[in-house]
Amino acid sequence: MNTIAEHIADFLKEYAPFDNLTFHELSQIASKIRVLNLEKHAILFKNNDVLHDSFYVVAQGTINLSIIADAEETLLNKCHTGDIFGLRPFFAKNNYTMTAKAREESILYAIPISVFRPFVANNSDVLNFLLESFAANTRHTKETNYKGKLIPDNAFYSDTQSEMQYIQSLNYNNSPITVPITTTVKEAALLMVESLINNILVCDENNNPIGIITEADMATKIATGRFPITVTVDTIMASPVVTVFENVSLAEAQLLMIKHDVTHLCVTKDGTNKSVVKGIISEHDLIVAQASNPGVLIKEIKRSQVPKDLKEIRDRLGDLIQNSIQKNIPISHISNIANEINLALIRRAVELSILDLGSPPARFAWLSIGSQGRKEQLLLTDQDSILIFEDVTAEKYRDVKDYFLHLAKKTTSILEKVGYEYCPNGHMGSNMLWCKSLTDWTKQYNSWMNTPGESSNDLSSIFFDYQIVFGEPKIEEALENIIYKNAQNNTLFFDFLGNDALKKNSPLTFFKKFVLEEEGENKDKFDIKTRALMPLIDGARLLILSNDIKGINNTYLRFKQLAITDTKNADIYLNCAEAFLTLSKYRTLEGIKNDDAGQFISIKDLSKLDREKLKNALAPMRELEELIKSKFQLTQFS
């Protein structure tokens, strides 16, 4: 191996993803690499340039990646020594969607795609890294002048939560055009033009796939004159086709396309070419799907600088939730992902406020409470939060509280612009009642829990559903310890919470009909939040506190844990857990349909089957009510 190639291999092995390859493999790659010297401000490629045959590693210097929109250049990323960029030729066939310009004199290594592709196809860690790099250096925008081309192309987000990959939605053509092997190329071409598609499947008499023809085949084999247009399709088709199961994940589809160097995958009933065709997945489908990849959304949130960027990402979360529900992905998985993205959005709002105001004068914790605190916010509802700062000396207290009130006001204002409305009850960190020191919060919880109903600030149970979004975890732990210490043998507190949980009006009449609203704008609709979900939420909270179970704030998981802790009543808890998921799904579907919080459901618009499912989900509530009455010796008639 020559010394230049050896020097390059030595350099590459220090950086991901090349550190996943052996030195022998690196040496093979290095011998084919071109070294480029770029002057300051030299452009390597610009928006809409034809793709190069290589991608690039920065050996020395800095490369700016930018887009130009509305005559304004926006910097997306700076690539420094060891960074990879220009990966579009790996994952897409359309032209570059950004400009790469040298910020200073720079040296680049150009790695030919054809040389590197085999190493990617055999190593998922390498593929994973390239996809993440691609997403980080790409940007999605809905601006009309880009016609949606600037979509993140990452398809594989590596995270400890398997749900991240599980939920990636992939829509594809499930009614592809198929032709028998006797069809002429001319007939196939006319069908493609009429149907406005760029591919056609060739099938046998049982509708099993035997080949595929794409626009590329037409261009390279017919337009060039290699074959006359009168030949039959088997002459120019690619065969065999690469086949996949109907529920193939985005990551698997991307890997298969790279491995087999194809632009289409054929979906069949059992995933082989010996079964019936169910659809066709194109490269374009993958790129569209990747726009709502949870990993990409979280990366974009971290890079967002203004509320408008965060709002656009929150809108895309709505699309992701809708697609996932349509695909029958379990609502618990969808909730996990939505929670991660909601958390990231709120966290970024706090960060942007700190960037604006300067460093905090004391340690603090921003906690989401209510539905966000329970990780149950699938729809855009109002924001609920509290802010706790560490204890400071008396002379500093006023200045410190002023800073945190300013911080909270900025944060809640950003979140309002993103689409989370202000809490109508003022349960937000920007309210001076809910922005205070740990000692003051300790007094607040002591008062609520030891003299419930007497406090001037009425006890709201949402203050017992919380999760830390930003700041010092030890502050959240301290709050939890205060709550559970006060809860021990606190009959008065549980009597208050128990009666509160039981006073919600029954969802069904004596004759098992839905209790509907009698007046107002929601007349004749069913209040699924107040009559169905809240009794389950309140019951789970009450039981989890009384059983001294810490660290679980989600209603579904609370019931699952109660089934393990209190085995005697396990069936009731498991039924309640399932009921909660079913009810949450109906509320979410209603919210998506009406673009609101989904609280009021039009029963008459549901199918007979859906009405029965909804009614069945209300059945466990009666058992839960009886359990609470006997456990806490309550006599409230609900």
Side-chain angles (χ1 to χ4, degrees):
M1 180 170 68
N2 69 41
T3 51
I4 294 176
E6 201 170 325
H7 174 75
I8 293 172
D10 272 331
F11 171 86
L12 291 177
K13 77 173 194 292
E14 298 300 320
Y15 297 98
F18 308 105
D19 54 358
N20 283 295
L21 302 174
T22 65
F23 194 74
H24 175 67
E25 289 172 326
L26 278 177
S27 304
Q28 285 177 268
I29 295 161
S31 64
K32 301 284 196 309
I33 283 174
R34 297 192 317 279
V35 181
L36 303 182
N37 290 284
L38 291 189
E39 298 287 318
K40 186 176 181 178
H41 299 319
I43 290 175
L44 180 66
F45 56 76
K46 58 182 187 299
N47 183 41
N48 219 23
D49 277 1
V50 174
L51 298 181
H52 297 180
D53 63 358
S54 303
F55 67 99
Y56 300 96
V57 179
V58 181
Q60 201 175 305
T62 308
I63 303 294
N64 283 353
L65 301 180
S66 59
I67 57 165
I68 294 174
D70 301 330
E72 188 182 315
E73 189 167 11
T74 305
L75 183 66
L76 293 183
N77 226 328
K78 290 178 185 172
C79 300
H80 303 286
T81 304
D83 286 347
I84 287 176
F85 70 96
L87 285 161
R88 178 160 286 273
F90 247 117
F91 303 115
K93 295 290 184 272
N94 50 333
N95 296 349
Y96 287 113
T97 58
M98 65 183 69
T99 296
K101 186 198 288 188
R103 190 177 173 205
E104 58 200 77
E105 272 191 54
S106 302
I107 299 171
L108 305 179
Y109 294 149
I111 304 179
I113 302 278
S114 57
V115 171
F116 202 67
R117 192 181 285 278
F119 299 102
V120 178
N122 296 320
N123 191 324
S124 58
D125 288 336
V126 175
L127 171 71
N128 192 357
F129 184 87
L130 293 187
L131 286 164
E132 290 219 349
S133 302
F134 191 26
N137 292 334
T138 325
R139 174 172 167 145
H140 171 86
T141 176
K142 287 186 177 171
E143 284 164 30
T144 49
N145 55 338
Y146 275 91
K147 303 279 189 284
K149 277 192 304 195
L150 297 178
I151 296 173
D153 301 277
N154 154 300
F156 206 83
Y157 178 68
S158 176
D159 191 277
T160 48
Q161 295 193 352
S162 59
E163 287 96 344
M164 282 291 186
Q165 289 169 14
Y166 179 79
I167 201 171
Q168 290 163 19
S169 54
L170 181 54
N171 291 318
Y172 54 84
N173 178 5
N174 52 18
S175 50
I177 304 292
T178 60
V179 294
I181 204 161
T182 51
T183 310
T184 65
V185 169
K186 182 178 180 180
E187 289 167 330
L190 287 170
L191 264 176
M192 284 165 74
V193 171
E194 282 167 22
S195 309
L196 298 174
I197 53 166
N198 63 5
N199 62 80
I200 203 158
L201 284 168
V202 182
C203 294
D204 64 17
E205 62 277 7
N206 299 318
N207 207 27
N208 298 344
I210 48 179
I212 184 170
I213 295 174
T214 65
E215 266 181 354
D217 294 315
M218 293 290 189
T220 57
K221 296 171 186 174
I222 302 296
T224 55
R226 276 174 61 196
F227 298 100
I229 202 160
T230 50
V231 296
T232 49
V233 285
D234 56 317
T235 315
I236 70 161
M237 71 184 184
S239 181
V241 288
V242 181
T243 53
V244 292
F245 279 105
E246 285 182 85
N247 59 351
V248 65
S249 76
L250 202 50
E252 289 168 314
Q254 185 87 61
L255 193 55
L256 281 168
M257 280 192 191
I258 289 172
K259 191 169 185 175
H260 297 283
D261 196 15
V262 294
T263 56
H264 293 79
L265 300 172
C266 180
V267 181
T268 62
K269 194 168 184 183
D270 70 1
T272 73
N273 59 4
K274 297 285 186 286
S275 72
V276 175
V277 167
K278 297 300 241 178
I280 188 100
I281 300 170
S282 71
E283 247 178 356
H284 176 72
D285 296 327
L286 295 189
I287 291 170
V288 169
Q290 289 147 14
S292 289
N293 174 291
V296 174
L297 295 185
I298 286 173
K299 283 187 171 194
E300 289 189 25
I301 289 166
K302 287 177 179 172
R303 292 205 308 271
S304 294
Q305 298 299 322
V306 291
K308 185 163 87 54
D309 293 345
L310 294 175
K311 183 180 188 325
E312 192 237 303
I313 294 165
R314 183 59 185 78
D315 292 343
R316 280 157 59 199
L317 170 59
D319 297 339
L320 175 65
I321 290 168
Q322 190 168 358
N323 288 339
S324 303
I325 285 178
Q326 283 167 352
K327 288 182 169 300
N328 280 325
I329 288 169
I331 201 96
S332 53
H333 286 288
I334 302 171
S335 292
N336 281 347
I337 299 305
N339 175 63
E340 288 300 317
I341 293 169
N342 277 319
L343 260 183
L345 285 163
I346 301 165
R347 189 179 295 125
R348 188 61 182 155
V350 178
E351 285 171 354
L352 290 175
S353 301
I354 291 172
L355 286 169
D356 199 13
L357 284 178
S359 299
R363 286 178 296 180
F364 76 103
W366 181 283
L367 270 59
S368 276
I369 58 172
S371 62
Q372 281 175 346
R374 293 191 303 271
K375 308 174 185 176
E376 290 164 6
Q377 196 178 58
L378 283 168
L379 296 159
L380 264 176
T381 57
D382 57 336
Q383 44 176 309
D384 297 291
S385 58
I386 62 174
L387 193 152
I388 309 172
F389 54 88
E390 67 180 343
D391 291 323
V392 293
T393 56
E395 62 269 19
K396 280 187 181 173
Y397 187 91
R398 173 168 277 195
D399 286 345
V400 170
K401 179 156 181 167
D402 277 352
Y403 171 91
F404 285 116
L405 273 173
H406 271 105
L407 175 72
K409 282 184 172 136
K410 272 190 182 301
T411 303
T412 53
S413 169
I414 289 171
L415 291 172
E416 197 262 342
K417 290 185 178 84
V418 173
Y420 303 96
E421 290 178 9
Y422 290 125
C423 172
N425 301 314
H427 293 146
M428 295 181 295
S430 53
N431 179 337
M432 62 190 302
L433 285 173
W434 314 130
C435 170
K436 48 196 175 190
S437 69
L438 184 57
T439 292
D440 286 349
W441 273 111
T442 304
K443 287 176 187 164
Q444 180 71 74
Y445 276 91
N446 288 345
S447 163
W448 274 336
M449 296 180 74
N450 297 320
T451 55
E454 292 175 28
S455 167
S456 56
N457 299 320
D458 284 337
L459 166 61
S460 175
S461 51
I462 66 166
F463 287 96
F464 294 89
D465 301 331
Y466 51 84
Q467 71 167 328
I468 187 165
V469 174
F470 188 96
E472 178 54 63
K474 284 193 170 62
I475 292 177
E476 185 197 30
E477 280 172 39
L479 182 71
E480 186 171 66
N481 291 335
I482 293 157
I483 290 169
Y484 279 88
K485 188 178 164 199
N486 274 319
Q488 281 174 5
N489 305 315
N490 192 336
T491 315
L492 193 64
F493 174 61
F494 289 121
D495 188 54
F496 182 87
L497 274 194
N499 280 309
D500 193 50
L502 295 177
K503 75 181 179 198
K504 305 284 188 295
N505 294 324
S506 173
L508 297 174
T509 66
F510 181 75
F511 297 104
K512 297 284 181 280
K513 296 223 180 306
F514 289 99
V515 175
L516 306 179
E517 297 300 292
E518 292 178 6
E519 53 192 29
E521 61 180 310
N522 296 301
K523 189 175 186 300
D524 296 331
K525 288 186 178 176
F526 177 63
D527 183 347
I528 193 168
K529 178 187 172 185
T530 311
R531 292 181 183 275
L533 285 162
M534 287 315 295
L536 291 172
I537 291 165
D538 290 344
R541 181 193 304 110
L542 166 68
L543 291 160
I544 215 88
L545 282 167
S546 67
N547 278 282
D548 198 34
I549 298 168
K550 292 182 180 176
I552 303 176
N553 292 331
N554 175 271
T555 304
Y556 172 72
L557 295 178
R558 280 172 168 172
F559 280 125
K560 297 286 272 190
Q561 183 59 46
L562 285 163
I564 296 165
T565 308
D566 178 12
T567 49
K568 187 162 84 319
N569 296 303
D571 284 351
I572 296 174
Y573 298 132
L574 292 173
N575 289 340
C576 286
E578 287 310 310
F580 181 76
L581 291 185
T582 303
L583 294 166
S584 297
K585 186 170 180 177
Y586 278 105
R587 180 182 179 181
T588 305
L589 286 168
E590 191 71 18
I592 287 168
K593 188 171 81 183
N594 302 318
D595 196 23
D596 62 14
Q599 181 169 349
F600 296 95
I601 289 189
S602 177
I603 297 292
K604 66 177 188 301
D605 291 341
L606 293 179
S607 67
K608 190 178 177 189
L609 179 65
D610 279 332
R611 280 200 294 274
E612 282 308 304
K613 277 187 185 170
L614 191 53
K615 209 172 272 186
N616 291 340
L618 300 172
M621 285 169 55
R622 180 61 65 183
E623 291 178 302
L624 180 67
E625 193 177 293
E626 293 306 320
L627 176 69
I628 290 170
K629 280 180 185 172
S630 74
K631 221 174 183 44
F632 300 98
Q633 288 151 13
L634 302 170
T635 54
Q636 171 103 25
F637 180 78
S638 63

